[in-house]
Amino acid sequence: MYVNTKDILEKASKEYYAVPAFNINNMEFFHAILEGALEKRAPLIIETSEGAIKYAGNGDIFKGARYFVELVRLFADSVDIPIALHLDHGKHFEYIIAAIKAGYSSVMIDASEKPFEENLKETKEIVKIAHAAGVSVEAELGQLAGVEDNVVAAESVLVDPEQAKIFVEETGVDFLAPAIGTSHGAFKFKGEAKLDFERLKKVKELTKIPLVLHGASSVLPEYVKMAEEYGADLGGAKGVPEDQLKKCVELGINKVNTDTDLRIAFIAGLRKFLKENPKEFDPRHYLGAGKKLVKEVVMNRLEFLGAAGKA
Ligand SMILES: O=C(COP(=O)(O)O)N(O)CCCOP(=O)(O)O
Ligand SMILES: [Zn+2]
């Protein structure tokens, strides 16, 4: 059933587990993720960035938002696991409003690159509009570094827990993404991975709301190796070690944004299939090979974060 993201996250926050939020840009990733969540009997958060909406709508924002709502609801309304659709990194007013109007369960207003007062003001405005439409809201404090299509930031700025308390109280935001040292994409750390657990612990204590970890992919070595075996160049790829991810969940992270791990799994499956099946040109077959590995990663992550069986 199609639900509000807040319902999924409040349960996770109470019981100290986390629900992965899987990014999609097309139908194949959605099907792979849905199959994995159904097999694991887990709640499901599907999210799309502004880049994904532009891609799906072929440049038309509202068509792109409607495409994802129709695709997700078509299946969500006929299965018995809770499924939410979330706008990831809403940086532009027109995408946020289009997502609310199209029927998204929740939206992220990402004004984290702006000064605190401006971020607070913009978030407060979006919360007012979104809540009036029954849509929950995520915001970000501090900044992640790293590069993904449209989500680029020069370097990370860690969250100030005292500011987080004021921010949550003043804006009424439903869930918060504190920057604690992760970054988007496959190349998260030059040296050792280090996340600021103390800071995370304080944010949870002071805000008491569900928290979100962006840039949370682990960049799983077995899939990186497979992709490289069949021609990918992913030298230096490094993600969030799974023991550190586990610690983040213990300290109160409840939504774990996962995009890069799915992308690497897909390209590994696709590259392997194309190499081994030179005569094949049916997209349902070669895209199906990518889908299969995405589903594998989805099921493992749902199990690992404690969301399996929580539907
Ligand atoms: O936090 C994450 C993903 O983190 P990951 O890279 O560690 O999977 N996200 O919000 C996904 C951002 C995707 O943006 P775009 O579609 O513009 O490339
Ligand atoms: Zn993110």
Side-chain angles (χ1 to χ4, degrees):
M1 60 275 189
Y2 192 59
V3 300
N4 190 307
T5 316
K6 189 176 172 183
D7 302 338
I8 293 179
L9 294 181
E10 289 200 331
K11 184 169 179 289
S13 191
K14 271 201 202 84
E15 300 173 26
Y16 269 80
Y17 62 88
V19 179
F22 294 113
N23 286 76
I24 63 170
N25 293 283
N26 62 22
M27 175 188 77
E28 285 75 12
F29 275 65
F30 172 62
H31 286 319
I33 295 162
L34 177 63
E35 282 175 32
L38 284 169
E39 276 190 40
K40 285 293 178 183
R41 307 291 315 142
L44 183 56
I45 302 173
I46 295 286
E47 60 182 16
T48 68
S49 64
E50 291 186 347
I53 286 175
K54 201 167 169 199
Y55 175 76
N58 210 16
D60 182 305
I61 297 173
F62 188 53
K63 284 194 177 72
R66 280 289 312 279
Y67 170 84
F68 286 120
V69 170
E70 298 302 321
L71 173 67
V72 171
R73 288 215 63 152
L74 192 61
F75 291 85
D77 291 345
S78 60
V79 296
D80 63 352
I81 59 168
I83 301 180
L85 175 62
H86 176 71
L87 170 68
D88 187 25
H89 289 290
K91 289 181 182 284
H92 302 92
F93 193 70
E94 57 270 32
Y95 281 91
I96 295 171
I97 300 306
I100 291 171
K101 187 168 182 331
Y104 273 59
S105 314
S106 57
V107 292
M108 176 181 186
I109 158 73
D110 181 359
S112 58
E113 282 153 39
K114 296 179 178 166
F116 177 74
E117 289 309 329
E118 236 179 286
N119 183 358
L120 191 146
K121 181 168 163 290
E122 276 190 36
T123 302
K124 205 167 170 177
E125 262 164 41
I126 295 297
V127 166
K128 213 161 134 211
I129 298 166
H131 282 186
V135 171
S136 42
V137 181
E138 174 186 332
E140 182 171 330
L141 263 187
Q143 268 182 58
L144 275 79
V147 180
E148 294 211 10
D149 191 10
N150 290 339
V151 184
V152 184
E155 53 192 57
S156 65
V157 176
L158 300 184
V159 65
D160 169 343
E162 296 300 330
Q163 271 194 349
K165 180 173 181 342
I166 299 163
F167 187 87
V168 167
E169 284 163 0
E170 301 263 315
T171 60
V173 73
D174 299 292
F175 32 105
L176 181 73
I180 57 166
T182 58
S183 61
H184 288 127
F187 308 92
K188 297 182 193 295
F189 304 99
K190 291 225 174 11
E192 272 316 295
K194 52 182 185 321
L195 303 184
D196 194 327
F197 297 114
E198 266 320 296
R199 213 175 276 265
L200 170 57
K201 190 161 174 281
K202 279 215 193 85
V203 171
K204 190 73 174 185
E205 280 162 6
L206 293 171
T207 62
K208 300 185 180 40
I209 65 167
L211 298 180
V212 184
L213 189 65
H214 282 249
S217 280
S218 297
V219 186
L220 301 162
E222 60 270 44
Y223 297 97
V224 171
K225 188 164 166 289
M226 184 193 289
E228 289 181 324
E229 244 164 68
Y230 294 94
D233 175 5
L234 293 170
K238 192 171 172 58
V240 178
E242 290 192 314
D243 61 323
Q244 295 198 28
L245 191 53
K246 191 80 127 175
K247 191 149 180 217
C248 290
V249 177
E250 286 159 8
L251 292 171
I253 288 286
N254 309 109
K255 174 174 176 276
V256 173
N257 282 22
T258 307
D259 189 10
T260 296
D261 279 339
L262 305 190
R263 296 183 179 189
I264 293 176
F266 192 89
I267 196 64
L270 178 63
R271 281 181 172 277
K272 180 170 187 300
F273 183 89
L274 292 177
K275 186 84 180 113
E276 293 173 351
N277 302 274
K279 293 188 177 2
E280 183 57 75
F281 55 89
D282 182 334
R284 291 165 299 185
H285 296 163
Y286 59 74
L287 294 177
K291 264 177 70 178
K292 199 161 151 288
L293 295 193
V294 169
K295 178 178 170 181
E296 228 174 69
V297 170
V298 164
M299 290 175 74
N300 292 337
R301 186 136 274 213
L302 287 166
E303 199 63 60
F304 178 77
L305 294 174
K310 297 283 187 184

